[in-house]
Amino acid sequence: MDFGALASRLGLPIGGTKARRDRLARLALDGDAAGVTRFIARDKSLFRPTRFGCRFEPFSHIRALPVITGIEIVRGSGFGAKAARVDVGPFGARYRLLLSAGLPEAARAVSAVRLVYRIVHAHRLFEAFGREGGGRGHFVLDVDDCADPGERVVGFSGPPDRTFLVPDQIFLATDGYADLRKAYAARGRPLAAREDTIFWRGRSTGTLARGETWTALPRVAFVAEARRIAAARPDLNIDVGLVTTDEGSGKAPWAELVARGLTADFVPIESFAEKRVHVDVDGNSNSWPGLFSKVLLGGPLLKVASRDGAAQWYYDRLVDAETLLFVAADLSDLEGCCEAVRDPAVQVALAAGMTALAEGLTPDAEIPRVFPVLEEAAAYWRDRL
Protein backbone atom coordinates (compact mmCIF):
# COMPACT_ATOMS: atom_id res chain seq x y z
CA MET A 1 0.00 0.00 0.00
CA ASP A 2 1.22 3.51 -0.84
CA PHE A 3 0.85 5.13 2.58
CA GLY A 4 2.09 8.46 1.22
CA ALA A 5 -0.66 8.55 -1.39
CA LEU A 6 -3.26 7.53 1.19
CA ALA A 7 -2.13 10.22 3.61
CA SER A 8 -2.27 12.80 0.82
CA ARG A 9 -5.84 11.78 -0.08
CA LEU A 10 -6.85 12.09 3.59
CA GLY A 11 -5.08 15.43 3.96
CA LEU A 12 -2.73 14.13 6.66
CA PRO A 13 0.74 15.62 7.31
CA ILE A 14 3.41 14.22 4.99
CA GLY A 15 7.17 14.56 5.44
CA GLY A 16 9.18 16.98 7.49
CA THR A 17 8.57 20.63 8.25
CA LYS A 18 10.07 21.89 4.98
CA ALA A 19 7.99 19.53 2.87
CA ARG A 20 4.83 20.59 4.68
CA ARG A 21 5.64 24.27 4.29
CA ASP A 22 6.30 23.72 0.61
CA ARG A 23 2.88 22.09 0.27
CA LEU A 24 1.25 25.05 2.03
CA ALA A 25 3.09 27.47 -0.27
CA ARG A 26 1.96 25.54 -3.35
CA LEU A 27 -1.67 25.66 -2.23
CA ALA A 28 -1.42 29.42 -1.70
CA LEU A 29 0.31 30.09 -5.03
CA ASP A 30 -2.30 27.98 -6.81
CA GLY A 31 -5.03 30.15 -5.28
CA ASP A 32 -6.54 27.17 -3.46
CA ALA A 33 -8.16 28.94 -0.50
CA ALA A 34 -10.19 25.87 0.49
CA GLY A 35 -7.00 23.79 0.35
CA VAL A 36 -5.20 26.21 2.68
CA THR A 37 -8.15 26.08 5.10
CA ARG A 38 -8.07 22.27 5.08
CA PHE A 39 -4.29 22.33 5.55
CA ILE A 40 -4.66 24.43 8.70
CA ALA A 41 -7.28 22.06 10.07
CA ARG A 42 -5.37 18.87 9.30
CA ASP A 43 -1.80 19.90 10.04
CA LYS A 44 -2.14 21.78 13.33
CA SER A 45 1.24 20.55 14.60
CA LEU A 46 3.03 22.74 12.05
CA PHE A 47 1.63 25.80 13.81
CA ARG A 48 2.68 24.65 17.30
CA PRO A 49 6.43 25.31 17.53
CA THR A 50 8.36 26.02 20.69
CA ARG A 51 10.29 29.29 20.47
CA PHE A 52 11.40 32.06 22.80
CA GLY A 53 11.02 29.68 25.75
CA CYS A 54 7.31 29.18 24.97
CA ARG A 55 5.00 26.67 23.38
CA PHE A 56 2.77 28.14 20.69
CA GLU A 57 -0.82 26.93 21.23
CA PRO A 58 -2.91 28.96 18.76
CA PHE A 59 -5.85 26.53 18.85
CA SER A 60 -6.36 26.58 22.62
CA HIS A 61 -8.30 29.84 22.92
CA ILE A 62 -10.50 29.89 19.81
CA ARG A 63 -13.99 28.62 19.02
CA ALA A 64 -13.48 28.01 15.29
CA LEU A 65 -10.44 27.52 13.07
CA PRO A 66 -9.34 30.28 10.68
CA VAL A 67 -11.10 30.14 7.30
CA ILE A 68 -9.36 31.38 4.16
CA THR A 69 -12.06 32.66 1.84
CA GLY A 70 -9.88 33.65 -1.09
CA ILE A 71 -6.39 34.32 -2.40
CA GLU A 72 -5.70 37.31 -4.60
CA ILE A 73 -2.58 38.50 -6.41
CA VAL A 74 -2.62 42.29 -6.06
CA ARG A 75 -0.72 45.06 -7.84
CA GLY A 76 0.02 48.53 -6.48
CA SER A 77 -2.07 47.84 -3.39
CA GLY A 78 -0.48 50.42 -1.11
CA PHE A 79 0.11 47.80 1.59
CA GLY A 80 2.82 45.25 2.23
CA ALA A 81 3.72 41.85 0.81
CA LYS A 82 2.24 39.91 3.75
CA ALA A 83 -1.31 41.24 3.95
CA ALA A 84 -4.84 39.94 4.21
CA ARG A 85 -8.36 41.29 4.19
CA VAL A 86 -10.01 40.34 7.49
CA ASP A 87 -13.80 40.12 7.59
CA VAL A 88 -15.31 40.13 11.08
CA GLY A 89 -18.82 39.47 12.35
CA PRO A 90 -20.84 37.13 14.59
CA PHE A 91 -19.05 34.23 12.90
CA GLY A 92 -15.70 35.49 14.20
CA ALA A 93 -13.11 36.24 11.52
CA ARG A 94 -12.34 35.10 7.97
CA TYR A 95 -9.36 35.94 5.79
CA ARG A 96 -8.62 36.73 2.16
CA LEU A 97 -4.89 36.51 1.40
CA LEU A 98 -3.49 39.43 -0.60
CA LEU A 99 -0.22 38.34 -2.23
CA SER A 100 2.00 40.88 -3.95
CA ALA A 101 2.31 40.64 -7.72
CA GLY A 102 5.59 42.52 -7.49
CA LEU A 103 7.46 39.59 -5.93
CA PRO A 104 9.12 36.70 -7.77
CA GLU A 105 7.29 33.43 -7.21
CA ALA A 106 9.86 32.10 -4.72
CA ALA A 107 9.60 35.22 -2.58
CA ARG A 108 5.81 35.22 -2.88
CA ALA A 109 5.79 31.62 -1.63
CA VAL A 110 7.80 32.56 1.46
CA SER A 111 5.50 35.52 2.12
CA ALA A 112 2.41 33.35 1.71
CA VAL A 113 3.60 30.78 4.25
CA ARG A 114 4.54 33.44 6.77
CA LEU A 115 1.21 35.17 6.22
CA VAL A 116 -0.74 31.98 6.94
CA TYR A 117 1.37 31.22 10.01
CA ARG A 118 0.78 34.65 11.47
CA ILE A 119 -2.94 34.61 10.70
CA VAL A 120 -3.28 31.29 12.53
CA HIS A 121 -1.31 32.62 15.49
CA ALA A 122 -3.27 35.90 15.69
CA HIS A 123 -6.74 34.48 14.94
CA ARG A 124 -7.64 34.54 18.64
CA LEU A 125 -7.77 38.34 18.58
CA PHE A 126 -9.84 38.81 15.44
CA GLU A 127 -12.28 36.03 16.30
CA ALA A 128 -12.83 37.60 19.72
CA PHE A 129 -13.41 41.01 18.12
CA GLY A 130 -16.14 39.59 15.88
CA ARG A 131 -17.81 37.28 18.37
CA GLU A 132 -17.40 39.16 21.66
CA GLY A 133 -16.50 42.71 20.69
CA GLY A 134 -19.34 43.31 18.26
CA GLY A 135 -16.88 43.86 15.40
CA ARG A 136 -18.49 44.19 11.98
CA GLY A 137 -16.99 44.91 8.58
CA HIS A 138 -13.48 44.43 7.29
CA PHE A 139 -9.95 45.85 7.35
CA VAL A 140 -6.51 45.05 5.99
CA LEU A 141 -4.03 43.25 8.24
CA ASP A 142 -0.30 43.59 7.48
CA VAL A 143 1.59 40.87 9.37
CA ASP A 144 5.08 41.95 8.33
CA ASP A 145 7.74 42.73 10.94
CA CYS A 146 7.02 46.42 10.43
CA ALA A 147 3.85 47.63 8.75
CA ASP A 148 4.82 50.76 6.82
CA PRO A 149 2.51 50.95 3.82
CA GLY A 150 0.85 53.76 1.95
CA GLU A 151 -2.55 52.77 3.36
CA ARG A 152 -3.40 52.60 7.06
CA VAL A 153 -3.47 48.95 8.08
CA VAL A 154 -3.85 46.84 11.19
CA GLY A 155 -0.38 45.72 12.21
CA PHE A 156 1.74 44.32 15.00
CA SER A 157 4.46 46.95 14.67
CA GLY A 158 4.76 50.18 12.73
CA PRO A 159 4.51 53.97 12.83
CA PRO A 160 1.65 54.73 15.27
CA ASP A 161 0.23 57.47 13.06
CA ARG A 162 -0.16 55.07 10.11
CA THR A 163 -0.81 51.74 11.81
CA PHE A 164 -3.74 50.43 13.85
CA LEU A 165 -1.55 48.69 16.43
CA VAL A 166 -2.72 45.42 18.02
CA PRO A 167 -1.02 42.64 20.03
CA ASP A 168 1.37 40.57 17.92
CA GLN A 169 0.88 36.94 17.03
CA ILE A 170 3.63 35.68 19.36
CA PHE A 171 1.97 37.30 22.38
CA LEU A 172 -1.39 35.84 21.32
CA ALA A 173 -0.30 32.30 20.37
CA THR A 174 1.83 31.82 23.50
CA ASP A 175 -0.94 33.14 25.77
CA GLY A 176 1.12 36.16 26.71
CA TYR A 177 4.39 34.20 26.95
CA ALA A 178 2.83 31.97 29.61
CA ASP A 179 5.67 29.44 29.71
CA LEU A 180 8.32 32.15 29.97
CA ARG A 181 6.42 33.82 32.81
CA LYS A 182 6.46 30.52 34.68
CA ALA A 183 10.16 29.98 33.98
CA TYR A 184 11.03 33.45 35.23
CA ALA A 185 8.89 32.95 38.34
CA ALA A 186 10.73 29.69 39.09
CA ARG A 187 14.19 31.17 38.50
CA GLY A 188 13.49 34.67 39.68
CA ARG A 189 15.68 36.40 42.23
CA PRO A 190 15.23 39.62 44.17
CA LEU A 191 16.67 42.52 42.19
CA ALA A 192 19.65 42.95 44.52
CA ALA A 193 20.55 39.26 44.17
CA ARG A 194 20.74 39.35 40.36
CA GLU A 195 24.07 39.53 38.57
CA ASP A 196 25.23 43.15 38.67
CA THR A 197 25.60 43.76 34.96
CA ILE A 198 24.10 45.70 32.04
CA PHE A 199 23.25 42.85 29.71
CA TRP A 200 22.28 42.27 26.06
CA ARG A 201 22.48 39.36 23.62
CA GLY A 202 20.98 39.14 20.16
CA ARG A 203 21.29 38.72 16.41
CA SER A 204 22.55 41.36 14.01
CA THR A 205 19.14 41.67 12.31
CA GLY A 206 18.22 45.13 11.12
CA THR A 207 17.53 47.37 8.17
CA LEU A 208 19.81 49.80 6.37
CA ALA A 209 19.04 53.14 4.81
CA ARG A 210 20.23 53.83 1.29
CA GLY A 211 24.03 54.20 1.22
CA GLU A 212 24.59 52.63 4.66
CA THR A 213 26.86 49.65 5.25
CA TRP A 214 26.41 46.83 7.77
CA THR A 215 28.33 48.76 10.43
CA ALA A 216 25.30 51.08 10.65
CA LEU A 217 22.91 48.27 11.60
CA PRO A 218 21.39 49.40 14.94
CA ARG A 219 22.47 46.32 16.86
CA VAL A 220 25.97 46.29 15.42
CA ALA A 221 26.36 50.00 16.16
CA PHE A 222 25.02 49.51 19.68
CA VAL A 223 27.41 46.66 20.51
CA ALA A 224 30.38 48.57 19.07
CA GLU A 225 29.58 51.67 21.13
CA ALA A 226 28.79 49.69 24.27
CA ARG A 227 32.06 47.75 23.97
CA ARG A 228 33.94 51.04 23.53
CA ILE A 229 32.33 52.41 26.70
CA ALA A 230 32.96 49.16 28.58
CA ALA A 231 36.66 49.29 27.75
CA ALA A 232 36.92 52.82 29.15
CA ARG A 233 34.49 52.30 32.03
CA PRO A 234 34.82 48.79 33.48
CA ASP A 235 32.95 50.04 36.55
CA LEU A 236 29.73 50.04 34.53
CA ASN A 237 29.81 46.22 34.18
CA ILE A 238 28.58 46.14 30.59
CA ASP A 239 28.15 42.66 29.07
CA VAL A 240 26.81 42.81 25.51
CA GLY A 241 27.44 40.90 22.30
CA LEU A 242 26.08 39.44 19.08
CA VAL A 243 25.46 35.70 19.06
CA THR A 244 24.64 35.19 15.38
CA THR A 245 24.15 37.18 12.20
CA ASP A 246 21.90 37.37 9.16
CA GLU A 247 24.36 37.40 6.31
CA GLY A 248 23.47 38.48 2.81
CA SER A 249 23.34 41.69 0.85
CA GLY A 250 24.25 44.53 3.17
CA LYS A 251 24.26 42.28 6.24
CA ALA A 252 26.97 41.84 8.81
CA PRO A 253 29.57 39.15 7.92
CA TRP A 254 30.22 36.95 10.95
CA ALA A 255 33.99 36.84 10.44
CA GLU A 256 34.11 40.64 10.56
CA LEU A 257 32.02 40.75 13.71
CA VAL A 258 34.37 38.28 15.37
CA ALA A 259 37.44 40.19 14.19
CA ARG A 260 36.04 43.42 15.64
CA GLY A 261 35.33 41.81 19.00
CA LEU A 262 31.56 42.25 18.80
CA THR A 263 30.46 38.65 19.47
CA ALA A 264 29.67 36.81 22.69
CA ASP A 265 28.48 33.44 23.95
CA PHE A 266 24.81 32.55 23.59
CA VAL A 267 22.71 32.84 26.76
CA PRO A 268 19.29 31.08 26.90
CA ILE A 269 16.33 33.42 27.30
CA GLU A 270 15.35 31.63 30.52
CA SER A 271 18.68 32.73 32.06
CA PHE A 272 17.93 36.41 31.48
CA ALA A 273 16.20 36.34 34.89
CA GLU A 274 19.65 36.14 36.48
CA LYS A 275 20.76 39.52 35.07
CA ARG A 276 19.90 42.82 36.74
CA VAL A 277 19.83 45.46 33.98
CA HIS A 278 18.79 44.70 30.40
CA VAL A 279 18.94 46.57 27.10
CA ASP A 280 16.55 46.46 24.15
CA VAL A 281 17.59 47.33 20.58
CA ASP A 282 15.41 47.06 17.48
CA GLY A 283 16.19 44.44 14.83
CA ASN A 284 14.25 44.32 11.57
CA SER A 285 11.58 46.17 13.49
CA ASN A 286 10.69 46.41 17.16
CA SER A 287 12.15 43.53 19.12
CA TRP A 288 8.87 41.72 19.82
CA PRO A 289 9.87 38.80 22.11
CA GLY A 290 13.22 40.44 22.87
CA LEU A 291 11.58 43.40 24.57
CA PHE A 292 8.57 41.61 26.00
CA SER A 293 10.74 39.01 27.71
CA LYS A 294 12.58 41.85 29.45
CA VAL A 295 9.33 43.53 30.43
CA LEU A 296 8.32 40.27 32.13
CA LEU A 297 11.53 40.33 34.17
CA GLY A 298 10.25 43.40 36.02
CA GLY A 299 13.70 44.94 36.27
CA PRO A 300 15.61 48.01 35.07
CA LEU A 301 15.71 48.39 31.30
CA LEU A 302 17.49 50.63 28.80
CA LYS A 303 15.51 50.97 25.55
CA VAL A 304 17.33 52.30 22.50
CA ALA A 305 14.81 54.43 20.63
CA SER A 306 13.60 53.19 17.24
CA ARG A 307 15.27 54.93 14.31
CA ASP A 308 12.04 54.89 12.29
CA GLY A 309 9.63 55.62 15.13
CA ALA A 310 8.03 52.18 14.98
CA ALA A 311 6.06 51.00 18.00
CA GLN A 312 3.94 48.13 19.29
CA TRP A 313 0.50 48.33 20.84
CA TYR A 314 1.68 48.81 24.45
CA TYR A 315 4.54 51.25 23.84
CA ASP A 316 2.51 54.19 25.14
CA ARG A 317 2.86 52.57 28.56
CA LEU A 318 6.65 52.53 28.36
CA VAL A 319 7.33 55.78 30.19
CA ASP A 320 10.81 57.24 30.43
CA ALA A 321 12.14 57.29 34.02
CA GLU A 322 9.06 55.37 35.24
CA THR A 323 9.25 51.95 33.58
CA LEU A 324 12.59 52.28 31.75
CA LEU A 325 15.23 54.71 30.51
CA PHE A 326 15.20 55.63 26.84
CA VAL A 327 18.53 55.85 24.99
CA ALA A 328 18.77 58.11 21.93
CA ALA A 329 18.67 56.26 18.62
CA ASP A 330 22.12 57.66 17.76
CA LEU A 331 23.49 56.30 21.08
CA SER A 332 24.86 59.74 22.00
CA ASP A 333 23.64 59.35 25.62
CA LEU A 334 24.34 55.64 26.05
CA GLU A 335 27.15 56.15 28.55
CA GLY A 336 25.08 58.59 30.58
CA CYS A 337 22.14 56.18 30.68
CA CYS A 338 24.44 53.36 31.79
CA GLU A 339 25.67 55.56 34.61
CA ALA A 340 22.14 56.54 35.62
CA VAL A 341 20.81 52.98 35.71
CA ARG A 342 23.64 51.91 38.02
CA ASP A 343 22.03 53.97 40.82
CA PRO A 344 20.28 51.50 43.18
CA ALA A 345 17.41 53.93 43.79
CA VAL A 346 16.83 54.25 40.05
CA GLN A 347 16.91 50.48 39.67
CA VAL A 348 14.30 49.98 42.39
CA ALA A 349 11.98 52.63 40.94
CA LEU A 350 12.23 51.26 37.38
CA ALA A 351 11.72 47.70 38.60
CA ALA A 352 8.54 48.69 40.44
CA GLY A 353 7.13 50.43 37.39
CA MET A 354 8.01 47.60 35.03
CA THR A 355 6.63 44.92 37.39
CA ALA A 356 3.29 46.70 37.55
CA LEU A 357 3.18 46.97 33.76
CA ALA A 358 4.10 43.32 33.20
CA GLU A 359 1.41 42.04 35.54
CA GLY A 360 -1.29 43.73 33.49
CA LEU A 361 -0.05 42.72 30.03
CA THR A 362 -2.06 39.52 29.53
CA PRO A 363 -4.19 38.47 26.54
CA ASP A 364 -7.35 38.51 28.64
CA ALA A 365 -6.73 42.18 29.40
CA GLU A 366 -5.17 43.32 26.13
CA ILE A 367 -7.57 41.73 23.62
CA PRO A 368 -10.64 43.74 24.68
CA ARG A 369 -8.44 46.79 25.22
CA VAL A 370 -7.74 47.00 21.46
CA PHE A 371 -11.33 46.45 20.30
CA PRO A 372 -11.73 50.25 19.87
CA VAL A 373 -8.60 50.24 17.68
CA LEU A 374 -10.12 47.55 15.46
CA GLU A 375 -13.42 49.45 15.35
CA GLU A 376 -11.51 52.47 14.07
CA ALA A 377 -9.79 50.27 11.48
CA ALA A 378 -13.11 48.85 10.28
CA ALA A 379 -14.52 52.37 9.98
CA TYR A 380 -11.48 53.48 7.97
CA TRP A 381 -11.85 50.54 5.55
CA ARG A 382 -15.65 50.64 5.30
CA ASP A 383 -15.66 52.19 1.84
CA ARG A 384 -12.29 50.78 0.77
CA LEU A 385 -11.26 47.44 -0.71
Side-chain angles (χ1 to χ4, degrees):
M1 178 180 290
D2 186 343
F3 289 102
L6 176 61
S8 180
R9 285 170 53 200
L10 295 175
L12 300 176
I14 305 172
T17 298
K18 182 180 184 306
R20 293 150 71 193
R21 285 178 178 164
D22 288 347
R23 174 169 168 73
L24 174 58
R26 191 68 266 159
L27 290 169
L29 293 180
D30 288 345
D32 188 352
V36 173
T37 300
R38 288 193 299 270
F39 183 97
I40 294 169
R42 295 171 175 171
D43 206 349
K44 294 186 181 72
S45 63
L46 191 63
F47 302 98
R48 288 170 163 160
T50 296
R51 299 184 64 198
F52 316 116
C54 296
R55 291 165 297 170
F56 283 59
E57 295 292 351
F59 307 107
S60 297
H61 300 275
I62 59 174
R63 293 168 60 182
L65 294 173
V67 173
I68 308 302
T69 58
I71 301 173
E72 183 178 348
I73 307 298
V74 295
R75 298 179 183 276
S77 61
F79 38 79
K82 304 179 186 72
R85 169 175 165 148
V86 184
D87 289 276
V88 293
F91 53 82
R94 297 169 182 160
Y95 308 88
R96 183 175 183 85
L97 309 187
L98 305 174
L99 306 181
S100 173
L103 292 177
E105 182 174 285
R108 194 183 306 152
V110 172
S111 291
V113 170
R114 180 165 291 189
L115 175 57
V116 173
Y117 263 73
R118 294 190 174 186
I119 285 173
V120 170
H121 289 159
H123 178 59
R124 175 182 181 180
L125 168 62
F126 305 116
E127 181 189 62
F129 177 52
R131 290 183 182 272
E132 302 160 21
R136 301 294 182 268
H138 68 272
F139 46 80
V140 170
L141 167 68
D142 185 336
V143 304
D144 215 340
D145 290 348
C146 186
D148 191 12
E151 288 279 8
R152 293 195 68 192
V153 294
V154 174
F156 306 135
S157 175
D161 61 336
R162 299 200 301 278
T163 313
F164 299 106
L165 293 170
V166 297
D168 65 79
Q169 85 283 352
I170 302 174
F171 174 83
L172 295 164
T174 62
D175 198 26
Y177 296 82
D179 291 339
L180 193 58
R181 290 177 192 259
K182 293 175 184 176
Y184 283 167
R187 301 182 66 158
R189 303 177 183 176
L191 188 63
R194 299 180 190 179
E195 184 179 336
D196 185 18
T197 186
I198 297 172
F199 179 82
W200 183 85
R201 288 292 189 277
R203 302 168 65 188
S204 67
T205 52
T207 58
L208 294 170
R210 185 180 298 275
E212 288 184 331
T213 65
W214 63 265
T215 57
L217 288 165
R219 291 181 172 184
V220 173
F222 161 71
V223 173
E225 177 62 7
R227 289 282 180 96
R228 184 195 67 79
I229 294 170
R233 296 287 306 277
D235 59 300
L236 295 177
N237 290 347
I238 297 172
D239 178 9
V240 304
L242 296 158
V243 297
T244 187
T245 187
D246 289 336
E247 295 196 23
S249 178
K251 299 298 184 178
W254 183 249
E256 283 286 338
L257 295 174
V258 172
R260 296 184 184 217
L262 303 181
T263 60
D265 292 338
F266 173 79
V267 176
I269 195 169
E270 296 85 354
S271 298
F272 285 14
E274 300 165 6
K275 314 296 182 180
R276 188 180 303 177
V277 180
H278 290 266
V279 185
D280 180 74
V281 190
D282 283 359
N284 292 331
S285 178
N286 301 132
S287 176
W288 302 0
L291 176 56
F292 204 88
S293 64
K294 295 158 191 171
V295 170
L296 293 180
L297 288 170
L301 176 67
L302 301 180
K303 171 78 176 85
V304 178
S306 301
R307 293 199 304 180
D308 57 6
Q312 286 202 272
W313 88 98
Y314 66 95
Y315 272 35
D316 60 336
R317 286 168 273 173
L318 298 176
V319 182
D320 192 35
E322 292 185 18
T323 54
L324 46 64
L325 294 181
F326 275 106
V327 178
D330 65 3
L331 306 173
S332 57
D333 59 353
L334 178 59
E335 183 172 352
C337 288
C338 289
E339 288 180 346
V341 81
R342 296 283 298 160
D343 184 330
V346 171
Q347 292 183 359
V348 170
L350 294 178
M354 191 63 85
T355 297
L357 173 61
E359 289 174 350
L361 284 173
T362 66
D364 287 344
E366 296 303 301
I367 287 175
R369 186 185 182 106
V370 298
F371 284 169
V373 176
L374 292 174
E375 288 171 0
E376 186 182 353
Y380 175 86
W381 282 96
R382 184 171 295 123
D383 299 321
R384 296 175 169 87
L385 198 63

